[in-house]
Each structure stands twice: as structure tokens, then as C-alpha cells.
Amino acid sequence: MLFNSFEFVFLFLPITIAVFFWLARDEQRIKRQNPITWLVLASFFFYGWWNPLNLPLIIISMLVNYGLGYLLGNVFERGKKKKLIFILGIIFNLGLICYFKYANFIVDNINQVTGNDIIIPTIVIPLGISFYTFQQIAYLVDAYRGETKEYNLQQYVLFVLFFPQLIAGPIVHHKEVLPQFENSELYKFNKQTLAIGLSIFIAGLFKKVIFADRIAEYSNLAFTAASQGVDLTFSESWVGALGYTLQLYFDFSGYSDMAIGAAYMLGIRLPLNFNSPYKAISIVDFWRRWHITLSHFLRDYLYIPLGGSRKGSLRRYLNLVITMLLGGLWHGAGWTFVFWGGLHGIYLVINHLYRSLRQALGHNLRNDGWLLRGLGWLTTFLAVVISWVFFRANNFATAISILKSMFGFNGIQLAPFLESYLGFLRNIGVGFFGFSVNVGISQKYATFGILILLFIAWCTPNTQQWMGKYNPTLTEPIEYYQSQWQRQFWQYLSWRPNTIWTIIVAGLTSLSLLCFSRVSEFLYFQF
Amino acid sequence: MNIRDVASGFFRLGKRQSLRSQTIKVYQKNKDSEFNFGLYGLITFLLLGSVAGINWLIDPLWYSHGNILTGQNFAFNERITKTNLFLRTKDKVNYDCIIIGSSRVTALRPSEFKNKKCFNYALKGGEIPDFVNYAKFIKEQGVKPKIVYIGVDGMNFVEKKRTEQPPLDIKSLATQSPLQAYLSSDVLLFSTMTILGLSPDPGNYYDKNFEPVDFENPPTYNPEFYKPLETQKCDLASVKAFADLRQVFPQAKFVGYVPPISAWSIINDTYNRNLVDCYLLGYHQLAQTYDAMYDFTAPSVITKNPDNTFDGSHFSVKVNNKIAAVLQGGSGEDIEIRVDQYSFDEYRKIYRQKLRDFLDQNNELQLWQASDELSVDMVDVEKQ
């Protein structure tokens, strides 16, 4: 079930919350864990709604991991058997994800290299497999280290299956969520908690359906045309790249907000997943702000076990690149994803080298002035945009074609409506035929849409900051480089439980619901 | 949040006050206020209810009843609206006649086809891949037409760089639920445009029975001869695709027709671009497969009268009523050429004579290309 669907908003979510708190009114029921049972059942329903055939796999995965976790945490103290069970657990999880997500990719590559024609049926990737597998790997590692508590099966299932985070994260650690269900305060209905959760959920929904889905129309047009061999103009390629950059941002952060909001309506706090990543002034900073829970997972369960920075600089950089390559592959079974990850690995190595050099020269990086920070921000943003082109493109040829247009290899053509303001640029070879009928991008809507969304991403606080002191995530968003007056200004505009915000949230709710289904006029040029 | 507090706080920056003390003050002030769920529900309900109400009255997607406010239904997206209409009416009407074609065919009124229950599934921008998809969809829905009328445009027979389209899932076009039909900002936009009379099609609209009706004052067509556009190569691959449509409804009678184009447009866009022979070859080859094939593009009393069209390409409903009569075997006013009754040479000769007469009547004989030799710049199939 999608968060941005009528059935979720009008039926599933209200019913789930209402029944949860109805069951929680009776202490006996709480002791019998009836509210938790209800959440488990609701989560099963949520997951199986779209395709019930996904259910057997996740059930098997949960049962096996819970069993192995139990053995690791409660039966074996240490020794070879424990290690063997742990290795089996890792193989089981990686095996599942490899088969369902990467089997076709692996066979295609073998065929290409060997010239064979091995055919396997197309395997449908089960919903959310990357997320729930990572969560369970983390659980097994912790169980192996003796860091897990004795959760019962129902609690464990809820940890994996809890519907707000199940399909697209955030990647949740058992230590972060499960203890919350032991707090008796959780079962007391609180209007303010509901209001906060609702406001965050609606903010996320608004980001997704108004910002992400609208700008996606333009980026899709550009990338589709490029994949069909159409040479994009300079403007079209930038609309495609920036449009996708913004689509991904608002889509993912919107989804994370919806997850955080939906969980908070039930009184559960999830970890922060996005913290205004496009305000980052370096790639290191970017990865502290973008998909934070994935970064933490990769750091804790891949980078550090590989040796982290403990084995010298060269190993550190190698570990970084390996971690990012595998992080890229986690996003999708394709070489463009691997390349995207590798590119970020190289960005990180360059960033660390730069920092080391400056530290060796005696610079204090925290005292950088606005000019250096601004240059860092611009460089980081451009590097990220370039990497997203590879992330989005179907293949390298499409990505290279778009990047060539972006960097003027096909000439520089701006939008025609800019000619009256920038006509003098003709002297240096700039043209004003920036949008072609073939691609079909609406120049004014696309240009203004991108400018507005860039302003929002760069200059406004994120949802958690809007929530001010009511921030419902486990970690607080930190704004590193904000002046006193900016902080004061946004402080005054932050969310509060009052009438004005009631009206604003009602307006955002209505607008979002009205944008669930898109119906566009059929445009035709030929007839 | 209080606007006065915001403004005064913001502009009082000179007087330094610790952020913490300010924050505490604001929170204390709002201590008693709370998020009003009743108000939230009321506003949301009123906003959504108003939108749903307007959309239900106008029903621009033709989901249940069409526009019951003004009775005028505009063609915003015929792929969606006609699919909704078809699915809603197919069992009640038991269609035994289907009309397929591009926007030039949309103005044919089904009610003009006597003793038949026709559904006009013509679409703006419709091309042969669309026709095949829609014909298969109609068949899947259990409709078995006895007769199929197909509008054939010459543009299908010229070389064109066609970007590959993803396969069309026609079922997904149909509006899935009342929530989708009425609780949508895009639909609200269409409703508003309908109320304001802003039709995307300036020539006609659909009445309460979903039949096309001419607007009282359509745009005026100003005929003129102009310098031709670049020539294109002839590609007759689509002839087979049109012929293969018969296999979708093997029991049905197939009647093809080439919708009219103003005589000036034929000279400018076809004759002067050396495409006449290409088109005629396409129509004539197709005529060998269909039960009947009519060509309305040769200069005639209809196509020589600028009042019959608003753009030279789309003709009034009044003209389309005459076309409907001819397609049913009625005698017209010499507005058509019955392609299947002539050899290609005869057809070509009649057609060329009509072109020449038209140029002569307009003192434009200097445009006449005297050579009688067949001239077709065909695409190189092997290179494709």
C-alpha cells in the first residue's frame, strides 16, 4: 500500500491508529500485547496489499533470522558453532537479496563476458527486500556480539515489519525502536502527539505529490528522450539533471517524513533520515545529511568491519571506495549504480585528502569563511548532480550524452523566453532555442519549478526544523552554518499546536489529496 | 504562530535577546492553544467537498454522467474520456459499429449511422499503433462489431522519426474510482475551463449525449497558397498495419475513408511536396483489402469552401454528417472518390484532374506540374 493513496490515508491509517489506542485502553490487553499484535497484523496487511505473494518470503526471512538471532544471543556463548551460525545467517540474507535482486544482473553479465546464452526467468524483486534484509543483518551482527535483548517473536516481527518504515526506510536499528514499545506512556492517547505526527505526515505527503511528482514529469521527459537517442539541448539536459536531483530529494525526504509522521502518530520515534543534504558544504557533510540511516549502516556494518581508518590512510581510502561501491549496488542491480557509488567513493577520498592537506597546513576547517563554505557548497552540489545523472540513466551512453549537453558540447541553448533579458549573450555564441518539440518540456513551468524547488531545498528549514522543539525523530537535525538572525526568523515560523497551523495543515492536506491522481490534457502537435 | 510576534521579533533584532528566553516566551504564550482537530476536519472536508461537488457536476472525465450543469462536454483527453464512456455504455448499448481514426474523425456523429449502434473511438493524435491497441481493447471487452469505419490519414504513409512509445495499457486509462474522477486538482482545472467555456477544441464540443456539436462561432479559416514545407519520403509500411486490423474483427465489414482536407491544404501540404502519388498509392493498396474505401481529400464543393473548416484540416459536424451519409452508401454531392472501384491509374487521373481544375479556378495554374509520370520518393527499405 502506498502512503500517497486514498486507501492508506482514508482507511488504513485512521483504522490502525484508532484500533491501536482502543486496544491500549485496557491494561490487561497491553500486558497481553494486544496493541502490538494489532500493529503486526496491520503491517502484514499493509505489506501484502499490493501483492500477497510477497508475504511468504518476508515471513520466511523473519522466522529464519529470529531463530538464528535467538541461537546467537541465547544459546551459544562463543566458539566455532556460534561463528558458523552467524556466517550461515549472513549467507542466508545475502543469498536472498542476491537471488531476488541481482540474479538477472549477474547472469546477464556472465552471458556478456562468456558469450553464453543462459536464460533464467525474470525475477520480480520483492517489495522492500533491501531494507528489511539490511535491518536483519544488523540484528544478526548485534546478536553475534551479544548486544541483543531477548525479544519475543512478535516484537521481532514488529521490528522488521512495522509499516511506516517497511518499504523505503529509514533503516531502523532494533535498539532504537523495540525498547519504545516497552514504555507504558506509548499506549496513552495524546492529541498533541497525533497532531505532530499528522503535521509531519502531511508535510511529507505534500513534498511527494506536489513537489516530487510534478518535477518528475520534466526529468522523465528529458531522460526518456536521451535514452531514445535524442540529443538534448543544454537547457533540456540541465532541466533533466536538476529536475531529477530535486525529484529524488523531495520524493525520498517526503517518504521519510511520512514514515516518521505515521510512526509518531502511534507514539513511536524513528531516526532522522534527511537533514537538508543539498545544503552540504562537502561530500563528507553530504553523507552525514543524505539517507542518514543507510550511511550509519554502511559505516557500522561494512566500513568499520573492513578496517575503517585503523589500518592506515591507503586502506582507509580503499575501504571508503569499497563501501560506496557496495552502497551503490545496494541501490540497484546495474553498473550505473555501481559507478554512482564508486564516484561518491572517489569524491569522499578527494574530500578527505583535501581536509588532510589543509589540516597539515595548519588550517582550522571549522573556521572557514563564507566564501570557502560557498565554494564548497557549490562544488558539492554540482558533484552530486553529476552523480545523479548516472544514478538515473538507463545506461552509460545516456548518461554521457546528457552530461555532454550539460557541459556545452552540443552548444549552449537557453530558453527562448530568456532572450529578451539575456540577448547580449548571443555575442559569445549562446543561442535561445533551448527546448525542442521532440522532448516536449514546458520551458517556463520547468524553469520556474526548478528555481522554486532549489530555493526550498537550499534556503528553507527541513520538516524537522519546522517542527521546532516538537521534533519527533530520535536525533535532532542540526544546522551547522546558520546565523543568529536566520535561526530567530525560522524559530518564529516554526510549527506550533495552534489555530493558524491547524488551518495551514488542513490546506496542505486538501491540496495533497487532490494531487494523488494525475490527469493531463492530451497534447498533440501533429493533427 | 502570531504574525505580530513574528514581525516584531524579527525587526527587533537590534535589541539582543537570548534565543532561549524568546523561545520560552513564545511557548508560554501558546501553552493553552492546541491543534484543533475539529477545525482541521471541517476545513479539509469543506475544501475537498467543494472540489468534489464541482467536479461531479461537470464530470470532465465523463465518468458517470458528463456535464449536467451546462450540457457541454469538452475533449480534454479523449483517450481517458472515451474509454470511460465506452466502458460505461458498452453493455447498455451493445455496439455493433465502431469508428476509429484521428482527430479528423472525431466529428462524426454516431447517431448519423442509421440502424447501427456506433461508438466513435477516434482520438486526437491517433495513429495506426493506437488504432490496433484500441481495436484489441474493444474486442477484449466483448464487443463484436458488424462494421468498422476507419479514418485513414495520409501522414501515416510518410517517413517519420517515430520515438518508441511504451506499450499502452488501455485499461489503466480508465478512471478507476469516483475518488479519482472527482477528487483531483487536475480534474478541477478541466471543470473550471469547462465552466469558463475554454475548450481545447475550438471547432466543436460534445453535447449531453456525447455527440459532437459545432460551436456557433468557430475560428475563421483563411485559405492561401504558400511556399511548401520540405518534402518527405514515402513509406507504405503502414498499409499492412491498416490491413491487419481486419484480423482483429474478422467477421466485420471494413470501410475505410480519408477525411477531407481543404483544397488549399492539399495543394500546399501534399501536391507541392510531391506526396500525392505516395498517398494515393497507400489509399489504393488499402482499398484492395477493405470492403469499401472513400477518399474525401480531392477538391470538392466541401473542401473548396473555407467556411466548412476552422483550420483546413478539421471539418464541421455538418460536413461530417454528409460524410456519414456517403459511408452508408448514400449519394453525395460528388464529394468523394470511391477508391476501390477504380484502377490506380484511373483513380490517380480523376484526382489529378480535380487538383488541376481547382488551380485553374484560382488562377494558380503555374503551380501545376505538367508531367503525368508517377513520382514517388520511396524510402530505402534495405537501409532501414
Side-chain angles (χ1 to χ4, degrees):
Chain A
M1 197 179 293
L2 294 173
F3 285 163
N4 55 321
S5 63
F6 289 116
E7 56 266 29
F8 181 83
V9 173
F10 286 131
L11 294 172
F12 180 85
L13 190 59
I15 291 171
T16 304
I17 293 169
V19 174
F20 177 80
F21 285 111
W22 178 73
L23 289 170
R25 285 172 72 182
D26 184 338
E27 284 206 10
Q28 286 304 314
R29 285 179 179 157
I30 296 174
K31 277 183 187 165
R32 288 199 301 268
Q33 295 200 326
N34 289 4
I36 290 183
T37 310
W38 166 249
L39 283 186
V40 169
L41 291 174
S43 297
F44 269 118
F45 182 80
F46 173 85
Y47 188 70
W49 172 260
W50 188 59
N51 186 0
L53 288 175
N54 283 324
L55 280 170
L57 183 74
I58 198 170
I59 291 171
I60 291 168
S61 170
M62 285 188 298
L63 289 176
V64 171
N65 277 299
Y66 178 72
L68 293 175
Y70 182 81
L71 290 176
L72 289 170
N74 302 299
V75 177
F76 298 104
E77 283 291 311
R78 54 177 68 87
K80 282 184 180 174
K81 279 186 184 171
K82 187 171 182 177
K83 199 167 188 177
L84 183 70
I85 288 173
F86 172 65
I87 291 168
L88 279 176
I90 299 296
I91 289 172
F92 169 75
N93 282 298
L94 293 181
L96 275 190
I97 203 171
C98 272
Y99 175 73
F100 283 100
K101 199 164 171 178
Y102 302 108
N104 288 116
F105 174 64
I106 293 166
V107 169
D108 286 349
N109 281 290
I110 290 171
N111 284 343
Q112 266 195 341
V113 172
T114 61
N116 288 337
D117 196 16
I118 305 165
I119 296 169
I120 58 167
T122 305
I123 300 162
V124 180
I125 302 172
L127 214 56
I129 190 169
S130 309
F131 288 91
Y132 69 68
T133 306
F134 266 33
Q135 282 190 196
Q136 295 190 101
I137 288 175
Y139 176 79
L140 282 187
V141 173
D142 287 358
Y144 180 70
R145 289 173 182 164
E147 294 170 4
T148 48
K149 283 183 65 180
E150 287 181 37
Y151 305 117
N152 65 35
L153 179 60
Q154 181 166 270
Q155 287 171 324
Y156 181 79
V157 170
L158 183 62
F159 149 65
V160 178
L161 209 64
F162 188 41
F163 71 87
Q165 37 93 148
L166 174 61
I167 294 174
I171 297 171
V172 171
H173 199 278
H174 59 94
K175 275 188 267 186
E176 293 171 327
V177 171
L178 284 178
Q180 294 186 52
F181 285 99
E182 288 163 15
N183 182 358
S184 59
E185 288 297 307
L186 176 80
Y187 300 98
K188 290 177 187 159
F189 176 72
N190 182 321
K191 276 172 79 174
Q192 180 146 307
T193 302
L194 184 66
I196 292 167
L198 176 71
S199 300
I200 292 181
F201 181 83
I202 295 301
L205 190 64
F206 188 82
K207 279 187 200 174
K208 160 77 182 145
V209 297
I210 309 280
F211 294 158
D213 290 353
R214 300 268 156 160
I215 206 68
E217 290 166 22
Y218 303 118
S219 59
N220 287 343
L221 284 171
F223 276 90
T224 305
S227 69
Q228 291 175 344
V230 175
D231 285 329
L232 301 182
T233 64
F234 176 81
S235 300
E236 285 166 348
S237 58
W238 274 101
V239 164
L242 289 175
Y244 183 66
T245 300
L246 292 161
Q247 175 200 343
L248 198 60
Y249 175 85
F250 286 108
D251 195 285
F252 215 167
S253 73
Y255 194 95
S256 292
D257 284 349
M258 284 189 271
I260 288 164
Y264 199 75
M265 280 190 251
L266 292 157
I268 296 292
R269 284 169 187 257
L270 294 182
L272 182 68
N273 211 22
F274 283 86
N275 184 20
S276 304
Y278 293 158
K279 290 178 188 168
I281 58 165
S282 69
I283 285 291
V284 172
D285 187 19
F286 173 80
W287 280 103
R288 284 180 186 146
R289 293 163 172 266
W290 176 273
H291 209 339
I292 298 166
T293 57
L294 174 69
S295 301
H296 286 178
F297 179 92
L298 293 174
R299 181 197 62 196
D300 296 343
Y301 298 100
L302 194 57
Y303 175 70
I304 291 174
L306 280 171
S309 56
R310 301 186 304 276
K311 298 184 177 176
S313 295
L314 192 65
R315 248 323 267 287
R316 178 195 190 186
Y317 298 141
L318 187 66
N319 291 340
L320 262 179
V321 173
I322 292 170
T323 304
M324 293 311 292
L325 281 170
L326 291 172
L329 191 62
W330 177 83
H331 282 87
W335 287 112
T336 48
F337 289 108
V338 178
F339 185 83
W340 169 80
L343 200 56
H344 271 278
I346 292 166
Y347 288 165
L348 283 169
V349 169
I350 294 169
N351 199 173
H352 282 296
L353 285 170
Y354 167 77
R355 287 159 69 124
S356 303
L357 177 69
R358 289 201 52 208
Q359 277 164 346
L361 292 171
H363 296 179
N364 184 347
L365 298 174
R366 293 188 178 185
N367 290 343
D368 277 349
W370 65 269
L371 184 63
L372 269 179
R373 286 209 307 270
L375 279 172
W377 161 78
L378 186 63
T379 312
T380 305
F381 184 71
L382 286 175
V384 168
V385 172
I386 289 167
S387 74
W388 288 143
V389 173
F390 288 100
F391 192 84
R392 171 65 176 81
N394 298 338
N395 50 50
F396 287 104
T398 305
I400 300 293
S401 156
I402 291 175
L403 286 169
K404 276 168 82 176
S405 305
M406 284 169 71
F407 289 99
F409 284 85
N410 299 341
I412 296 180
Q413 295 290 344
L414 301 177
F417 75 93
L418 292 173
E419 191 171 7
S420 50
Y421 312 103
L422 303 172
F424 62 91
L425 291 175
R426 281 193 176 286
N427 299 330
I428 54 166
V430 174
F432 292 90
F433 299 102
F435 291 87
S436 56
V437 174
N438 274 350
V439 179
I441 293 173
S442 163
Q443 43 171 316
K444 283 189 180 169
Y445 287 127
T447 310
F448 288 124
I450 284 171
L451 288 177
I452 289 167
L453 294 187
L454 282 175
F455 174 80
I456 293 168
W458 286 338
C459 305
T460 62
N462 56 47
T463 313
Q464 281 66 37
Q465 289 165 330
W466 274 111
M467 296 312 291
K469 75 162 188 172
Y470 303 102
N471 171 44
T473 49
L474 287 167
T475 37
E476 275 198 36
I478 299 164
E479 192 49 73
Y480 305 95
Y481 308 103
Q482 206 173 43
S483 60
Q484 174 79 359
W485 74 267
Q486 282 175 308
R487 212 169 296 157
Q488 277 181 309
F489 179 68
W490 294 120
Q491 179 75 47
Y492 277 109
L493 293 181
S494 64
W495 184 93
R496 289 190 186 90
N498 59 19
T499 306
I500 291 180
W501 275 104
T502 300
I503 295 168
I504 293 171
V505 175
L508 295 180
T509 305
S510 307
L511 257 176
S512 304
L513 292 173
L514 290 173
C515 290
F516 273 12
S517 47
R518 295 299 329 265
V519 188
S520 57
E521 190 178 332
F522 183 77
L523 299 173
Y524 68 109
F525 306 98
Q526 194 182 357
F527 291 94
Chain B
M1 188 183 71
N2 182 313
I3 299 296
R4 263 180 73 182
D5 280 351
V6 173
S8 62
F10 183 61
F11 291 111
R12 213 171 44 221
L13 292 178
K15 297 174 192 172
R16 288 281 168 188
Q17 202 178 13
S18 83
L19 184 64
R20 185 173 157 71
S21 68
Q22 278 191 26
T23 310
I24 289 168
K25 207 172 140 192
V26 172
Y27 291 150
Q28 278 173 346
K29 218 171 179 180
N30 288 308
K31 204 170 64 179
D32 300 325
S33 65
E34 61 175 24
F35 192 89
N36 188 334
F37 282 96
L39 182 66
Y40 170 80
L42 181 70
I43 294 171
T44 308
F45 177 78
L46 286 177
L47 286 172
L48 295 179
S50 310
V51 171
I54 293 167
N55 285 342
W56 181 81
L57 284 171
I58 306 297
D59 193 15
L61 299 186
W62 307 4
Y63 180 70
S64 60
H65 45 62
N67 183 355
I68 53 175
L69 204 64
T70 64
Q72 287 188 334
N73 299 282
F74 294 162
F76 293 106
N77 187 330
E78 286 168 322
R79 282 158 169 74
I80 293 174
T81 52
K82 289 197 170 178
T83 302
N84 285 341
L85 183 65
F86 173 74
L87 290 173
R88 179 152 56 86
T89 54
K90 68 183 170 71
D91 294 326
K92 284 182 236 165
V93 181
N94 291 321
Y95 295 114
D96 59 5
C97 155
I98 297 295
I99 301 166
I100 304 174
S102 69
S103 58
R104 294 187 183 122
V105 182
T106 54
L108 270 182
R109 284 173 71 92
S111 62
E112 291 295 314
F113 292 83
K114 307 297 175 202
N115 306 320
K116 293 186 190 78
K117 294 165 190 163
C118 284
F119 186 84
N120 186 335
Y121 224 139
L123 308 160
K124 284 179 190 173
E127 292 189 78
I128 183 63
D130 296 309
F131 304 162
V132 174
N133 278 330
Y134 281 86
K136 286 179 179 169
F137 169 67
I138 290 166
K139 187 180 184 178
E140 276 172 25
Q141 295 302 311
V143 172
K144 293 175 185 162
K146 289 179 186 156
I147 187 158
V148 178
Y149 294 102
I150 301 180
V152 182
D153 289 304
M155 281 178 184
N156 285 292
F157 304 131
V158 290
E159 187 186 35
K160 181 184 165 193
K161 191 179 178 186
R162 291 180 169 91
T163 48
E164 198 180 322
Q165 299 294 331
L168 187 65
D169 178 10
I170 295 176
K171 276 179 194 163
S172 72
L173 279 177
T175 304
Q176 303 295 328
S177 69
L179 290 172
Q180 212 182 18
Y182 304 126
L183 218 51
S184 158
S185 59
D186 291 336
V187 178
L188 179 67
L189 178 70
F190 294 163
S191 296
T192 310
M193 286 174 71
T194 306
I195 293 168
L196 297 174
L198 300 172
S199 169
D201 188 334
N204 52 56
Y205 62 92
Y206 293 87
D207 64 14
K208 60 185 167 75
N209 298 317
F210 302 100
E211 293 219 294
V213 179
D214 288 327
F215 275 113
E216 272 186 33
N217 298 306
T220 311
Y221 172 59
N222 296 313
E224 57 181 340
F225 295 101
Y226 54 78
K227 198 180 162 193
L229 299 167
E230 285 173 22
T231 57
Q232 283 174 287
K233 290 198 171 191
C234 185
D235 181 0
L236 297 181
S238 292
V239 173
K240 185 177 180 308
F242 271 102
D244 286 349
L245 267 177
R246 283 207 84 139
Q247 290 163 14
V248 181
F249 301 115
Q251 309 297 327
K253 182 181 173 187
F254 269 65
V255 177
Y257 84 101
V258 192
I261 294 171
S262 92
W264 290 268
S265 295
I266 280 291
I267 297 295
N268 294 326
D269 299 333
T270 308
Y271 182 72
N272 283 348
R273 295 171 74 192
N274 197 29
L275 287 171
V276 169
D277 288 342
C278 168
Y279 288 179
L280 298 191
L281 268 173
Y283 304 148
H284 194 265
Q285 283 182 19
L286 193 54
Q288 311 311 307
T289 314
Y290 286 175
D291 297 292
M293 182 80 194
Y294 298 86
D295 183 351
F296 292 90
T297 61
S300 68
V301 284
I302 282 177
T303 61
K304 287 190 283 190
N305 181 355
D307 295 338
N308 286 330
T309 174
F310 67 89
D311 63 355
S313 180
H314 299 86
F315 281 72
S316 65
V317 174
K318 209 170 73 182
V319 167
N320 275 276
N321 291 346
K322 290 181 182 174
I323 292 170
V326 173
L327 294 181
Q328 293 169 92
S331 62
E333 309 160 51
D334 192 25
I335 60 174
E336 83 285 5
I337 301 174
R338 179 76 187 261
V339 185
D340 55 304
Q341 290 186 342
Y342 297 104
S343 69
F344 177 70
D345 287 338
E346 289 167 337
Y347 170 38
R348 181 170 178 266
K349 196 174 170 189
I350 295 167
Y351 199 97
R352 280 175 60 87
Q353 187 58 48
K354 286 179 184 270
L355 289 176
R356 192 181 190 286
D357 292 347
F358 173 68
L359 288 174
D360 193 14
Q361 286 157 14
N362 285 275
N363 300 319
E364 293 284 348
L365 264 181
Q366 78 277 6
L367 295 175
W368 180 248
Q369 295 149 18
S371 171
D372 268 350
E373 276 184 34
L374 190 68
S375 171
V376 184
D377 187 9
M378 197 68 81
V379 291
D380 188 346
V381 181
E382 280 182 12
K383 272 188 184 173
Q384 282 188 323

